[in-house]
């Protein structure tokens, strides 16, 4: 704009020196603009009126100049060309091969090699030898019809003077970067970003709801008209080769648009300068206020210090940060590198605005009440799609970096848990998706192949409101591996209005432990006058819709034999009845405090005592356990019971081929029933940390008898579980065994007796513990 003010010499064809001038003068201008903005918005508004007047005057001068100079400009804009290649104006030499006296000009030194012996030029550039120098009319005017020649594109690679043709970089005007349509879009796009200036200053508008739509639409229409008509005017009046001269190297660094305007080129120079200052003031006015609003909303916690205002209400700290960020762009200096970066962030901003508007409309958020009558959510999605498309078409790697940065900021906000008074559109979308999914789950029961345990953990709390057996949550974590539904519930006995504080504390304690054990689920604490009633209500109503539990985990009631309080075992029995009535599976954990934690890795066998008619639950549970790293190295051993008429080979076929099926021929033990599912999981304290599971599928009548049917008819049998321990030679704690005793009853319910009057028992037990089981006394 003013080459004579260069601090680094003649920079017409020296990009490095030109960029250094940009850095120095740009920093000075930035500081001046920051001082003006710091004075206050009122002063900026007054200066904006002056700047707007100069810009309008400059635009009008271009239109008037294009009409006045309809036949072109003669004499002032006549650059030199060699053939059809535009030449730089600063290298020494005349625009000719020979002087008027017939001597060769200095142009030969640029394109030929001087033979010092013969003092003749040899090895000349073929293009130089075949073409002559001449002056062309740079501005030919609208009447020339040159718009037809300029209509097609001419994208170049570095060093080219025309598509596919390289030129002399010392003397000719060549491309300095790869150009394409999307590169031009990236460079052009920041020039139309002022349409958001009104929204950024909404807090300073008297009637923002009226001014923003009118002002924004007027800005879009005005800028679109000015830019499109300017392109047509330049393409219809200026020579194509001069349009490709990005830095004005053929015109001593002058502005081609200044030569087209009327009445004087300085009108464009002053108008461009003031337009740039006005755009800079608008950005420095709007950006700090937007940054301050973000800081005050607590969206990004580390920006909180920039939410402070001065006594006059000016965002001084936010302005200082904005100036620092702007200085980084000035130090880059090259518009070719700055413009794509700015384009990405502007497109990201506009894309997120469109996304937010569309989501708020589709979710029917009560606080979203647009007053613009012609708005529709499809327009927002169209705008979002265009923003994303332009981002990737202009620079796919910049687009990926910008999106990654946006995701990082969002995750940081989510991690820090910033509070937002105006809600979260993503949360509303998640709520809508959750509602849709819950309604889909209600359409029917899950298929057998898709069944997995959805767990409800009934935790008992100690006096400190912590779970008495934390291992229950650990077990659920290992069984679920973070998948499916997990509900953790506990009961506090008392009055609701008196125990609400304790309930909140207990809930926080359970949530903390669930997070430490990596259990993803829901926690709730219920206050009730009677524990039994509360447990029944939890078992019936826990979950929501189709997202409900099908398996309940319960702890073993320790010390119930020694306690005089009947509630120690009555609550346990009532819970079992409630689970059975609700037709849920029940997992009763015994010895859970000795269970391996999440950081352990155990080896050995998982022993399963499997009754075939349990539906496969006992086969599924160890399989799920083995998916966890704690149990990954363990093997499964399956022990099953078959009827006397069944073939043992059938049991082996039902078992996992990789497991060992040990079939015992017990006639009276296996029964046909679909009642209570009672599962006891006991952790053996041995060196190999084996786990033994014993399952009963029984249907007890009120007298405690088990209804049993076989080929010979119906009999009543009483089943008892005897526990025997042998201090042992294997492992630290020896072996532990469960043995089953079946007593055959007579028709009146008394036990059958032998000839000596003793009750008759049949020991039903694995062969390995036969000698350690004996009839109960």
């Amino acid at each position: 704009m003013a080459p004579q003010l260069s601090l680094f010499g003649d920079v017409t064809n020296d990009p490095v020196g030109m960029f250094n001038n940009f850095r120095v003068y740009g920093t000075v201008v930035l500081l001046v603009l920051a001082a003006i903005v710091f004075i206050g918005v009122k002063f900026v508004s007054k200066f904006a009126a002056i700047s707007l007047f100069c810009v309008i005057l400059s635009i009008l001068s271009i239109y008037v100049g294009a009409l006045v100079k309809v036949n072109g400009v003669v004499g002032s804009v006549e650059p030199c060309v060699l053939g059809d290649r535009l030449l730089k104006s600063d290298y020494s030499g005349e625009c000719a091969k020979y002087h008027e006296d017939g001597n060769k000009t200095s142009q030969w030194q640029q394109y030929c090699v001087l033979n010092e012996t013969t003092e003749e030029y040899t090895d000349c550039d073929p293009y130089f030898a075949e073409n002559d120098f001449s002056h062309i009319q740079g501005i030919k005017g609208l009447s020339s019809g040159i718009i037809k020649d300029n209509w097609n594109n001419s994208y170049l690679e570095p060093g080219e003077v025309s598509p596919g043709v390289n030129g002399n970089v010392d003397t000719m005007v060549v491309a300095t970067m790869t150009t394409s349509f999307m590169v031009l879009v990236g460079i052009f796009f920041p020039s139309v970003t002022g349409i958001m200036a009104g929204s950024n200053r909404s807090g300073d508008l008297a009637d923002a709801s009226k001014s923003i739509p009118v002002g924004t639409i007027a800005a879009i229409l005005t800028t679109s008209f000015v830019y499109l008509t300017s392109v047509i005017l330049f393409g219809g009046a200026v020579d194509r080769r001069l349009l490709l001269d990005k830095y004005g190297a053929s015109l001593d660094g002058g502005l081609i648009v200044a030569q087209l305007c009327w009445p004087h080129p300085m009108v464009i120079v002053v108008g461009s300068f003031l337009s740039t200052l006005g755009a800079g003031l608008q950005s420095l006015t709007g950006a700090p206020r937007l940054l301050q609003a973000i800081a005050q909303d607590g969206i990004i916690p580390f920006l909180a210090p920039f939410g402070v205002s001065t006594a006059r209400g000016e965002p001084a700290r936010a302005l200082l940060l904005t100036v620092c960020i702007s200085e980084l762009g000035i130090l880059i200096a090259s518009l070719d590198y700055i413009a794509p970066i700015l384009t990405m962030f502007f497109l990201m901003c506009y894309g997120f605005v469109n996304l937010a508007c569309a989501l708020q409309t589709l979710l029917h958020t009560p606080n979203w009440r647009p007053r613009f009558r012609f708005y529709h959510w499809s327009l927002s999605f169209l705008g979002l799609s265009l923003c994303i498309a332009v981002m990737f078409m202009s620079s796919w790697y910049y687009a990926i970096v910008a999106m990654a940065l946006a995701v990082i900021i969002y995750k940081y906000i989510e991690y820090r848990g910033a509070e937002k008074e105006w809600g979260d559109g993503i949360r509303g979308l998640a709520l809508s998706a959750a509602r849709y999914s819950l309604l889909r789950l209600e359409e029917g029961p899950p298929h057998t192949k898709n069944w997995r345990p959805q767990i409800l953990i009934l935790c008992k709390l100690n006096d400190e409101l912590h779970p008495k057996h934390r291992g229950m949550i650990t077990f659920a974590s290992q069984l679920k591996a973070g998948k499916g539904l997990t509900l953790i519930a506990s009961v506090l006995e008392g009055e609701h209005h008196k125990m609400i504080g304790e309930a909140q504390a207990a809930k926080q304690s359970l949530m903390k432990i669930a997070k430490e054990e990596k259990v993803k689920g829901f926690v709730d604490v219920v206050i009730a006058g009677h524990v039994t009633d509360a447990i029944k209500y939890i078992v019936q109503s826990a979950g929501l819709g189709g997202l409900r539990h099908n398996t309940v985990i319960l702890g073993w009631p320790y010390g119930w034999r020694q306690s005089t309080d009947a509630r120690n075992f009555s609550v346990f029995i009532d819970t079992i009845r409630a689970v059975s009535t609700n037709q849920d599976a029940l997992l009763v954990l015994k010895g859970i405090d000795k269970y391996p934690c999440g950081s352990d890795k155990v080896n050995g066998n998982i022993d399963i005592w499997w009754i075939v008619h349990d539906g496969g639950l006992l086969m599924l549970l160890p399989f799920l356990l083995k998916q966890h790293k704690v149990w990954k190295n363990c093997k499964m051993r399956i022990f099953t019971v078959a009827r006397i008429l069944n073939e043992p080979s059938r049991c082996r076929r039902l078992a996992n081929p990789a497991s060992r099926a040990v079939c015992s021929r017990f006639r009276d033990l296996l029964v046909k029933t679909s009642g209570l599912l009672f599962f006891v999981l006991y952790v053996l304290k041995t060196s190999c940390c084996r786990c033994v599971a014993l399952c009963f599928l029984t249907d007890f009548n009120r007298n405690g008898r088990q209804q049993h049917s076989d080929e010979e008819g119906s009999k009543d049998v009483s089943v008892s579980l005897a526990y025997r321990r042998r201090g042992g030679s294997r492992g630290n704690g020896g072996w532990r065994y469960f043995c089953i005793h079946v007593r055959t009853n007579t028709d009146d319910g008394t036990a059958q007796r032998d000839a000596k009057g003793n009750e008759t028992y049949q020991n039903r037990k694995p062969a390995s513990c036969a000698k350690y089981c004996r009839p109960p006394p």
Side-chain angles (χ1 to χ4, degrees):
M1 186 173 68
Q4 63 274 14
L5 297 179
S6 174
L7 301 176
F8 300 92
D10 187 5
V11 296
T12 304
N13 293 293
D14 181 16
V16 176
M18 181 172 57
F19 292 155
N20 289 333
N21 279 319
F22 291 166
R23 294 183 178 100
V24 174
Y25 284 109
T27 301
V28 174
V29 173
L30 177 63
L31 295 177
V32 173
L33 295 180
I36 294 174
V37 173
F38 184 76
I39 294 175
V41 178
K42 295 182 179 180
F43 183 82
V44 174
S45 300
K46 294 179 181 179
F47 183 83
I50 300 174
S51 175
L52 178 62
F53 173 78
C54 295
V55 170
I56 294 176
L57 184 63
S58 301
I59 294 174
L60 292 177
S61 69
I62 295 175
Y63 289 110
V64 174
L67 297 177
V68 171
K69 302 175 183 179
V70 66
N71 295 321
V73 178
V74 180
S76 60
V77 186
E78 294 184 351
C80 180
V81 296
L82 175 61
D84 62 349
R85 301 181 182 180
L86 192 64
L87 302 178
K88 298 177 181 179
S89 61
D90 64 334
Y91 77 97
S92 60
E94 300 179 7
C95 189
K97 288 185 178 181
Y98 299 95
H99 294 289
E100 294 181 358
D101 56 5
N103 294 325
K104 295 179 178 179
T105 63
S106 59
Q107 298 285 1
W108 291 79
Q109 300 176 7
Q110 303 292 335
Y111 301 97
C112 302
V113 178
L114 178 63
N115 190 330
E116 297 180 357
T117 304
T118 61
E119 296 185 355
E120 294 291 335
Y121 289 100
T122 60
D123 298 332
C124 294
D125 186 290
Y127 191 83
F128 171 79
E130 296 172 0
N131 296 276
D132 292 328
F133 291 89
S134 63
H135 288 280
I136 62 170
Q137 184 181 8
I139 299 178
K140 298 182 178 182
L142 296 175
S143 62
S144 63
I146 198 175
I147 190 172
K148 297 179 181 179
D149 298 331
N150 292 335
W151 191 259
N152 296 326
N153 59 52
S154 182
Y155 301 125
L156 306 177
E157 296 293 332
E160 292 182 350
V161 292
S162 60
V165 180
N166 292 324
N168 191 321
V169 296
D170 296 326
T171 62
M172 299 179 182
V173 177
V174 298
T176 59
M177 64 175 294
T178 300
T179 57
S180 65
F181 175 76
M182 296 315 304
V183 170
L184 298 180
V185 170
I187 296 175
F188 172 78
F189 185 80
S191 62
V192 296
T193 55
I195 59 177
M196 291 291 290
S199 300
N200 294 339
R201 298 177 57 184
S202 59
D204 301 321
L205 298 176
D207 189 359
S209 62
K210 179 180 179 181
S211 300
I212 290 178
V214 175
T216 302
I217 294 176
I220 293 174
L221 296 177
T222 303
T223 54
S224 299
F225 174 79
V226 171
Y227 286 125
L228 292 176
T229 54
S230 298
V231 169
I232 295 175
L233 289 178
F234 294 150
V238 182
D239 187 272
R240 184 188 191 92
R241 290 163 290 186
L242 206 58
L243 290 175
L244 295 176
D245 187 4
K246 181 168 62 174
Y247 296 120
S250 61
L251 300 176
D252 293 326
L255 298 174
I256 184 62
V257 65
Q259 303 298 327
L260 181 63
C261 75
W262 182 90
H264 194 274
M266 287 304 296
V267 176
I268 291 297
V269 174
V270 175
S272 299
F273 180 70
L274 292 178
S275 174
T276 305
L277 291 182
L281 283 174
Q282 292 293 338
S283 298
L284 288 178
T285 302
R289 282 164 171 74
L290 184 61
L291 178 63
Q292 183 188 40
I294 294 174
Q296 290 177 346
D297 285 340
I299 300 176
I300 304 178
F302 68 82
L303 291 180
F306 299 99
V308 180
S309 301
T310 61
R312 296 181 290 107
E314 296 296 327
R317 295 183 182 181
L319 176 62
L320 180 61
L321 180 59
T322 304
V323 170
C324 294
I325 296 175
S326 302
E327 181 63 19
L328 294 178
I330 292 175
L331 294 178
I332 296 175
S334 177
L335 184 63
D336 297 335
Y337 298 107
I338 299 174
I341 299 175
L342 295 178
T343 299
M344 290 301 150
F345 288 104
F346 274 114
L347 287 172
M348 287 287 291
C349 175
Y350 297 159
F352 279 121
V353 169
N354 283 305
L355 177 62
C357 293
L359 289 180
Q360 297 286 1
T361 304
L362 292 176
L363 297 176
H364 301 286
T365 307
N367 62 349
W368 172 248
R369 298 181 294 272
R371 297 184 180 180
F372 189 62
R373 292 181 298 173
F374 305 103
Y375 169 74
H376 192 267
W377 61 267
S378 59
L379 297 176
S380 296
F381 270 120
L382 178 61
L384 173 63
S385 302
L386 291 176
C387 289
I388 296 176
V390 172
M391 286 176 64
F392 279 95
M393 286 190 295
S394 59
S395 178
W396 63 269
Y397 44 89
Y398 277 143
I400 293 176
V401 172
M403 289 185 173
L405 183 59
V407 171
I408 291 173
I409 294 175
Y410 178 79
K411 287 299 181 181
Y412 172 77
I413 296 171
E414 188 178 44
Y415 171 75
R416 291 299 301 268
E419 296 182 358
K420 299 173 284 297
E421 296 179 357
W422 29 265
D424 185 359
I426 302 297
R427 185 177 180 86
L429 182 63
L431 181 61
S432 179
R435 181 187 61 181
Y436 173 79
S437 301
L438 287 173
L439 292 176
R440 286 292 303 273
L441 290 175
E442 283 287 290
E443 293 179 359
H447 193 272
T448 305
K449 294 183 179 180
N450 298 330
W451 191 93
R452 65 166 54 241
Q454 311 294 353
I455 295 177
L456 168 63
I457 306 174
L458 297 177
C459 285
K460 187 176 182 180
L461 302 178
N462 56 21
D463 296 336
E464 298 178 355
L465 301 179
H466 294 159
K468 191 173 182 180
H469 301 290
R470 177 170 176 164
M472 297 173 63
I473 303 178
T474 304
F475 169 74
S477 173
Q478 298 174 4
L479 185 64
K480 300 290 293 180
K483 302 294 190 292
L485 174 67
T486 302
L487 304 174
I488 305 176
S490 185
V491 178
L492 292 179
E493 192 172 6
E495 297 182 11
H496 182 267
H497 65 280
K498 295 181 179 180
M499 300 288 293
I500 187 64
E502 289 81 353
Q504 293 294 332
K507 185 174 181 179
Q508 293 296 326
S509 175
L510 290 174
M511 292 177 62
K512 180 180 178 181
I513 293 176
K515 184 177 181 180
E516 293 174 355
E517 296 293 342
K518 299 180 180 179
V519 174
K520 296 182 180 180
F522 306 98
V523 177
D524 201 4
V525 177
V526 178
I527 303 174
H530 300 283
V531 176
T532 302
D533 293 340
I535 292 177
K536 291 179 180 179
Y537 299 148
I538 291 174
V539 171
Q540 294 179 65
S541 61
L544 179 63
L547 194 64
R548 293 180 50 82
H549 63 277
N550 54 30
T551 305
V552 179
I553 292 181
L554 184 64
W556 183 262
Y558 295 97
W560 63 274
R561 289 180 179 273
Q562 293 78 19
S563 177
T564 57
D565 190 358
R567 292 193 307 171
N568 287 346
F569 58 87
S570 63
V571 172
F572 177 74
I573 295 174
D574 291 339
T575 303
I576 293 176
R577 290 174 177 170
V579 173
S580 176
T581 304
N582 208 47
Q583 295 185 352
D584 293 332
L586 176 63
L587 306 184
V588 180
L589 308 184
K590 187 175 183 181
I592 193 62
D593 294 333
K594 301 176 182 179
Y595 211 74
C597 61
S599 59
D600 296 339
K601 288 188 178 181
V602 298
N603 297 302
N605 299 321
I606 301 178
D607 290 344
I608 306 130
W609 292 84
W610 182 35
I611 300 243
V612 179
H613 293 77
D614 69 347
L617 179 63
L618 276 179
M619 295 294 293
L620 178 62
L621 294 178
F623 170 78
L624 295 177
L625 280 177
K626 281 174 61 63
Q627 306 307 308
H628 198 273
K629 62 180 180 179
V630 174
W631 302 90
K632 188 176 182 180
N633 297 327
C634 292
K635 297 180 180 179
M636 292 170 53
R637 294 197 309 178
I638 302 175
F639 299 86
T640 188
V641 182
R643 290 174 178 269
I644 191 170
L645 299 178
N646 290 348
E647 294 292 337
S649 58
R650 183 173 181 269
C651 300
R652 296 188 179 94
R653 288 197 304 269
L654 293 174
N656 191 325
S659 305
R660 178 184 177 189
V662 181
C663 300
S664 301
R665 296 171 179 261
F666 293 144
R667 175 180 180 180
D668 299 323
L669 183 60
L670 187 61
V671 295
K672 295 180 180 180
T673 180
S674 58
L676 175 64
L677 175 61
F678 181 47
F679 175 60
V680 180
L681 183 65
Y682 186 79
V683 179
L684 296 180
K685 186 179 180 183
T686 62
S687 58
C688 60
C689 193
R690 295 182 177 178
C691 178
V692 175
L694 180 63
C695 180
F696 292 97
L697 280 172
T698 58
D699 191 5
F700 292 97
N701 58 21
R702 293 184 178 180
N703 297 326
R705 301 175 182 176
Q706 180 190 34
Q707 301 299 329
H708 172 71
S709 300
D710 59 9
E711 310 82 20
E712 300 177 358
S714 299
K715 291 184 179 180
D716 284 349
V717 296
S718 298
V719 180
S720 61
L721 175 65
Y723 172 78
R724 297 290 180 263
R725 174 177 178 176
R726 174 174 67 91
S729 57
R730 182 171 182 176
N732 297 330
W735 289 94
R736 294 170 174 81
Y737 297 97
F738 290 103
C739 302
I740 306 167
H741 303 284
V742 181
R743 185 184 70 182
T744 305
N745 298 332
T746 60
D747 294 337
D748 59 358
T750 60
Q752 290 185 355
R753 300 180 180 274
D754 55 16
K756 298 182 179 180
N758 298 322
E759 293 184 358
T760 58
Y761 289 91
Q762 298 180 20
N763 290 339
R764 310 301 190 189
K765 54 190 176 299
S768 58
C769 64
K771 62 181 179 179
Y772 302 109
C773 295
R774 61 180 182 273

